[in-house]
Amino acid sequence: MKKTQYLIGLLTLLFLLVACAKAEEKDVVKVGIRSSELKTWEYIKEQAAKENLELELVTFSAQFDPNQALAEDEVDINAFQHVAYLNLFNTNNNTDLQAIGTTIMAPIGLYSNKYSALTDIKEGAKIAVPNDPSNWGRALLLLQEYDLLTVTEDFDGNGGEDRIKDNPKNLTILPVEGATTPRVMEDADFAVINNGVAVEAGLLLTDAIIHESETAKPFINVIVAKAEDQDNATLKKIVDIYQREKTANFIKDISKGNYVPVKMPLDELASWKKFYSY
């Protein structure tokens, strides 16, 4: 009798161990991405396959938010956004999507057809910036990072004419349609240009006079999962593959240096809002 009870107990334990292991496994991990990230994730997929991990890449157009797909279980993780965007999505949609690892930065930069150094920014210089609130705010933070102005104490990441507290050089900030910022350089002294817009205009990050550094935490891109999956071993393995030095070198090469790989601990990333009052 005792032997039978022992065997039943042992089988029950084995069943539970297998069930727990299965809970940590995913036969195929679906990854939601934008087309701009396809080459990187094709590389990640190849590396994962070498470790018996199969990825299915699901590419979303600009008309559909990969966060919505994640919230609705259409994908297991996604990788397309920075942490500030993730926070805004969670706030607006009452979701609990969590960053499980950092990936890259696509830094915005300050460009000019007339000048080539930070010291060329003189009193009253005209600086064009993207006019949508998010990127306008990001431009102001870039200028603050290099001590060209200071944003207000209640700054929330969104730009506006009233978001500048101190402007010691009396810079003239010219909000314009983001896609036009490269052309506006002809009329302004400088222009803050988004990474993607700059690339389309034939500009590289190395052409920028200044650009965001890895200290600009709100704009570090992340791999995101649902809250209940944030400790999943399989998903953590994908993060590990992404953050390897070989992957970083691949990203730098295919982006011609426009993407900056970032490997930052999540507990350090958690202080990202403090950057607004840098």
Side-chain angles (χ1 to χ4, degrees):
M1 183 69 176
K2 289 184 177 180
K3 186 175 181 180
T4 302
Q5 290 176 334
Y6 173 79
L7 288 173
I8 292 173
L10 181 60
L11 289 172
T12 301
L13 178 61
L14 288 172
F15 176 80
L16 290 172
L17 288 173
V18 170
C20 289
K22 288 294 184 182
E24 284 291 295
E25 295 176 1
K26 289 182 180 294
D27 293 333
V28 179
V29 178
K30 293 184 178 181
V31 185
I33 59 172
R34 299 285 194 206
S35 58
S36 58
E37 291 291 296
L38 184 57
K39 288 184 179 179
T40 296
W41 277 96
E42 285 178 338
Y43 173 84
I44 300 294
K45 181 178 180 178
E46 291 176 2
Q47 300 309 306
K50 295 176 183 177
E51 301 182 32
N52 299 315
L53 176 57
E54 185 179 351
L55 304 186
E56 179 184 338
L57 306 182
V58 183
T59 306
F60 292 96
S61 68
Q63 285 71 42
F64 195 82
D65 194 323
N67 278 333
Q68 196 63 45
L70 179 57
E72 296 174 359
D73 294 318
E74 294 179 16
V75 295
D76 301 301
I77 57 175
N78 66 40
F80 76 100
Q81 67 195 310
H82 52 60
V83 65
Y85 182 92
L86 172 61
N87 178 74
L88 183 63
F89 181 88
N90 279 331
T91 300
N92 290 343
N93 295 277
N94 196 29
T95 50
D96 189 16
L97 307 181
Q98 295 292 322
I100 62 172
T102 58
T103 57
I104 61 168
M105 279 193 70
I108 61 171
L110 182 73
Y111 297 82
S112 177
N113 287 335
K114 305 169 185 175
Y115 305 103
S116 59
L118 191 63
T119 53
D120 292 329
I121 302 177
K122 305 299 184 183
E123 180 85 12
K126 296 179 179 179
I127 302 180
V129 301
N131 63 2
D132 63 285
S134 177
N135 286 306
W136 189 343
R138 195 171 176 178
L140 295 181
L141 288 173
L142 172 65
L143 299 177
Q144 175 174 261
E145 188 174 357
Y146 285 86
D147 299 320
L148 294 169
L149 54 75
T150 305
V151 299
T152 56
E153 283 84 356
D154 61 348
F155 187 76
D156 61 358
N158 292 310
E161 295 178 358
D162 59 341
R163 303 305 175 96
I164 300 174
K165 177 184 177 182
D166 296 312
N167 186 0
K169 289 182 177 288
N170 292 312
L171 302 174
T172 300
I173 306 299
L174 305 171
V176 300
E177 180 67 32
T180 69
T181 46
R183 297 194 298 274
V184 175
M185 281 196 295
E186 300 299 327
D187 301 315
D189 298 306
F190 305 88
V192 176
I193 306 177
N194 282 4
N195 194 287
V197 175
V199 171
E200 289 178 1
L203 298 169
L204 298 177
L205 195 59
T206 52
D207 297 321
I209 297 170
I210 57 174
H211 62 75
E212 288 172 327
S213 67
E214 291 181 26
T215 61
K217 293 180 184 178
F219 311 116
I220 294 175
N221 283 21
V222 287
I223 297 173
V224 176
K226 296 183 75 172
E228 58 263 35
D229 291 330
Q230 60 185 327
D231 295 321
N232 182 283
T234 299
L235 303 185
K236 285 186 174 182
K237 188 174 183 179
I238 297 171
V239 172
D240 173 70
I241 294 172
Y242 198 110
Q243 293 183 343
R244 292 174 186 172
E245 185 176 355
K246 285 185 178 180
T247 304
N249 291 335
F250 176 84
I251 292 170
K252 291 175 185 176
D253 183 51
I254 63 166
S255 72
K256 298 180 180 179
N258 282 328
Y259 290 166
V260 179
V262 178
K263 183 178 180 180
M264 180 179 289
L266 292 176
D267 57 351
E268 183 179 346
L269 183 66
S271 64
W272 62 271
K273 288 185 179 180
K274 293 183 179 178
F275 185 78
Y276 289 159
S277 56
Y278 175 83

